[in-house]
């Protein structure tokens, strides 16, 4: 699995793009895999949880309903272009809820479908993107370059 994650961009693009901007995708996939594995470890049911025979059906129905609602919020996050909220929201439902309520990113499918060009929501989404997402993107690129090395710009 480590080899597949390391060479993810090579598998996706079918050419050696590791030291290019396209190769940065391999680093991002590794970070997502680490986050998912870490959250999976934290998300296990605590030892000793047993609702008993009388409460077992109600407990399972509650779990199924919670998972369905969380899946809907996660899907909305992904449609709004909030990948990290969607990924983390799979395990922490509150993050998915917050991501689903807040404005979509300007280039996301949700924004294209629901925010008409020139609308107040689209203007707010663009302003928020410029104010918050660009500095976070620069920090993410710096961190990825620190871990995996800077891509060649040819």
């Amino acid at each position: 699995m480590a080899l597949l994650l390391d060479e993810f961009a090579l598998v996706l693009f079918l050419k050696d793009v590791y030291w290019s901007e396209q190769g940065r995708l391999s680093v991002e996939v590794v970070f997502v895999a680490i986050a998912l594995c870490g959250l999976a470890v934290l998300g296990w049911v605590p030892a000793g949880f047993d609702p008993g025979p009388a409460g077992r059906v109600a407990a399972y129905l509650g779990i199924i309903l919670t998972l369905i609602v969380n899946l809907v919020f996660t899907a909305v996050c992904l449609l709004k272009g909030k990948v990290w909220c969607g990924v983390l929201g799979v395990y922490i439902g509150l993050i998915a809820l917050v991501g689903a309520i807040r404005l979509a990113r300007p280039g996301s499918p949700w924004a294209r479908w629901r925010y008409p060009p020139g609308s107040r929501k689209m203007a707010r989404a663009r302003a928020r993107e410029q104010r918050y997402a660009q500095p976070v993107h620069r920090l993410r690129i710096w961190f990825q370059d620190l871990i995996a090395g800077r891509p060649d710009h040819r």
Side-chain angles (χ1 to χ4, degrees), residues 44-60:
W44 292 112
V45 175
F49 173 76
D50 185 17
R56 191 165 284 150
V57 173
Y60 287 132

Side-chain angles (χ1 to χ4, degrees), residues 45-132:
V45 175
F49 173 76
D50 185 17
R56 191 165 284 150
V57 173
Y60 287 132
L61 286 176
I63 290 170
I64 290 169
L65 182 63
T66 302
L67 289 175
I68 290 171
V69 169
N70 192 36
L71 179 64
V72 169
F73 288 148
T74 301
V76 170
C77 284
L78 295 174
L79 286 172
K80 286 187 168 190
K82 300 175 178 200
V83 177
W84 280 104
C85 281
V87 168
L88 296 174
V90 168
Y91 295 99
I92 305 169
L94 185 61
I95 293 174
L97 173 65
V98 170
I101 291 172
R102 297 190 49 94
L103 278 174
R105 297 186 74 177
S108 68
W110 188 277
R112 285 193 307 267
W113 298 333
R114 310 226 4 164
Y115 304 163
S119 70
R120 184 172 173 258
K121 280 189 175 181
M122 182 59 88
R124 285 180 45 220
R126 288 185 199 281
R128 177 174 288 157
E129 182 80 12
Q130 204 167 16
R131 188 175 335 119
Y132 297 116

